[in-house]
Amino acid sequence: RGGGGDGGVYPLTHTEMQWMQSANMGVGTGIGAVARDHRHWADRASEDALRLDRATLCAASSKPLAPPVVVTELGLLCNKEELLERLLSKSMPQHLAHVQSLRDFAEATLHPNPHYAADKAAKGGEAAEDREVPFVCPIAGTPMNGRSPFVFLRPSGRVVSERALKGVGATACPVTDVPLGEGDTVHLNPNAEQREALEQRHEERRAAAKAAKAAKGGKKAQKAAAAAAAAAAAAGASGSGGGGDAGDAAAAGAVRDGPKLAAGAAAGAGCGWGP
């Protein structure tokens, strides 16, 4: 293309500049390539915004997280009062269907970000990764914006970054030094693989609680029946005349009703999930 006194040098067109970029070189040029590039960045921005929402908004109401905050057994963050309202009104959204009782979530301690200002955050205008968020890791200072994995530690109730937990060998809470056992770590907003593992643990916990409840009820019923039988025998041995007959009747009633009372007491017992 044209020369002139500059030796044939001419400025590149917009399409040529797009092709010269390493990400587009040899891939294609023109309006189609530019449109694909735009969609790529739009999708990435949407993913970042979604991760940010999951890390900073209540999963039950989509309102900003504010203490007291709870973590469900599948790693979702919720404002405690709003989750309780949903539970009592039986209006739980589908993604929280695993929350069926108070045993399905535990209260969590989140570390506030000293540089966060709610009024400034409300104005927006910044990329998700550059925006200040309400909570950070108390050990590493990592912002809880959805880009870095965070975990909930059941024994201590603390929320820390996965990086901070690995820094102490994942054997104890890095904030309180409380020892951690198998199943004590819950990934927040887990990926598909982590969620599957949490769902399996959730079902196993429920099955174990149900079995323990049944076994406890059986033992209490047996103990109550044995005590009633002993009382009946003692009443029969010491009673005489009409008083003896009344004692025998009372003991017989205790034998009859003891197992029912024991079963009722066992039904009120439960197995909590939280710390």
Side-chain angles (χ1 to χ4, degrees):
R1 225 168 59 197
D6 56 3
V9 178
Y10 60 91
L12 296 175
T13 66
H14 177 72
T15 301
E16 290 170 331
M17 291 178 66
Q18 287 288 325
W19 184 86
M20 288 293 290
Q21 293 180 11
S22 59
N24 296 322
M25 188 174 293
V27 175
T29 59
I31 297 177
V34 175
R36 285 193 297 273
D37 187 62
H38 174 75
R39 285 196 299 271
H40 166 74
W41 288 106
D43 291 343
R44 180 175 175 180
S46 298
E47 291 174 3
D48 288 344
L50 183 59
R51 284 196 294 263
L52 179 64
D53 286 349
R54 288 173 177 168
T56 58
L57 300 182
C58 169
S61 66
S62 296
K63 295 179 181 179
L65 288 172
V69 174
V70 297
V71 175
T72 74
E73 208 165 357
L74 297 189
L76 301 184
L77 291 157
C78 299
N79 291 331
K80 184 177 182 178
E81 296 301 325
E82 288 160 0
L83 185 63
L84 287 174
E85 288 179 7
R86 292 276 190 171
L87 186 62
L88 292 174
S89 63
K90 298 182 180 180
S91 58
M92 200 70 71
Q94 184 59 37
H95 61 278
L96 288 171
H98 61 283
V99 180
Q100 299 177 7
S101 72
L102 299 178
R103 302 186 189 100
D104 296 325
F105 58 87
E107 195 160 333
T109 301
L110 277 66
H111 187 72
N113 179 5
H115 304 296
Y116 173 76
D119 55 345
K120 181 180 178 181
K123 296 178 182 178
E126 296 178 308
E129 63 268 24
D130 298 327
R131 197 177 307 167
E132 291 288 351
V133 292
F135 305 105
V136 296
C137 172
I139 301 299
T142 307
M144 203 169 84
N145 58 9
R147 295 181 65 84
S148 299
F150 273 67
V151 293
F152 169 67
L153 308 178
R154 286 183 52 201
S156 65
R158 298 284 182 161
V159 170
V160 299
S161 66
E162 191 174 50
R163 175 185 175 186
L165 181 62
K166 289 181 178 179
V168 294
T171 58
C173 172
V175 181
T176 64
D177 291 330
V178 173
L180 300 176
E182 185 179 358
D184 284 340
T185 302
V186 178
H187 287 90
L188 299 184
N189 300 312
N191 57 35
E193 183 178 354
Q194 292 167 344
R195 183 180 176 88
E196 184 178 353
L198 290 176
E199 287 176 345
Q200 181 178 353
R201 188 191 303 173
H202 174 67
E203 293 302 325
E204 290 174 352
R205 194 271 303 170
R206 280 191 170 175
K210 187 175 181 180
K213 182 178 178 180
K216 187 175 181 180
K219 289 180 180 179
K220 281 192 174 182
Q222 292 175 2
K223 187 179 292 186
S238 61
S240 61
D245 293 339
D248 291 344
V255 172
R256 182 185 66 249
D257 297 332
K260 294 181 180 179
L261 294 174
C271 180
W273 173 72

